[in-house]
Amino acid sequence: MKVAFFDSGIGGLSVLHHAMKILPNEEFIFYADEDNVPYGTKTQEQVLEYVAEAFKFLVAQDVGAIVVACNTATSAAVRAMREKYSLPIVGMEPAIKRALDLFPARKVLVTATEITITGEKLQALIDRLNAREFAELRALSELVEFAERMEFNSAAVENYLREEFSAYDFSEFSSVVLGCTHFNYFKDTMRKILPAHIKFLDGNEGTLNQLIRLAGLVKSEKSLATNHQPLITYYYSGRKVTSTKELTRLKKYLQRLDEMYLI
Ligand code: DGL
């Protein structure tokens, strides 16, 4: 089946990267809305417009399912897209439930973009999990622009994260939830700053399990051994990516994700 992965930018590659490992026999489209990234600091209405535009394009590519590999777009627009289209649409959810299942009664720092942090969807999730006293929320919107510039462990990134994290006593926390798909690129820098017991949790596995369920796909356990690469076509805001320069850029991000995978 042809499955589309959509993000404001290159963050969604972290979900695609995981999908390449467990669904190597599917065909993928990756759509980064590079003309409009970042989404996280825009208004909900603007993000909804961008997402509607991207969906029009993706549905016309005859895909069997769309993964909104972006927490911000999920928060602002997934409900509207599900009302409009009947194909399976899978969104992202910050992995708070997983954090609390794994480490009950320890606090979790939920990091995401401004829109996700202030959005109703996250507040509803926290209420549903009864997690008010365990979940602290922090917008790290600037990481999105660092990631788009391929700046992952510079002094500026490190200083920014040190400053943002200085507000917390991490001995009370079990984990940091990466509630923005752009944040996976910074796991080594975060590892360097935070105490060793802090775990990093993202929503990639949960999202892909949901895709597998809704689209009737089958996980391939063999993929890790055979190293088979699925067919992927890349688009930037509806324009097919064909230049060697841009394809090399995308490959570098995927290589970075390989390095971050086990952290
Ligand atoms: N990657 C997106 C997310 O997961 C958002 C990045 C942006 O601000 O555009 O939230």
Side-chain angles (χ1 to χ4, degrees), residues 2 11 27 64 67 83 101 114 125 150 158 162 168 183 195 250:
K2 194 150 67 161
E27 185 183 341
V67 177
E83 277 165 14
D101 284 349
E114 198 67 47
L125 174 67
M150 229 181 243
E158 206 178 310
R162 279 192 195 282
Y168 305 97
F183 294 178
L250 294 166

Side-chain angles (χ1 to χ4, degrees), residues 40 71 74 76-77 80 88 99 111 115 130 162 166 209 223 226-227:
N71 293 267
T74 300
T111 63
I115 286 193
N130 215 355
R162 279 192 195 282
S166 67
N209 284 338
S223 61
T226 57
N227 228 358

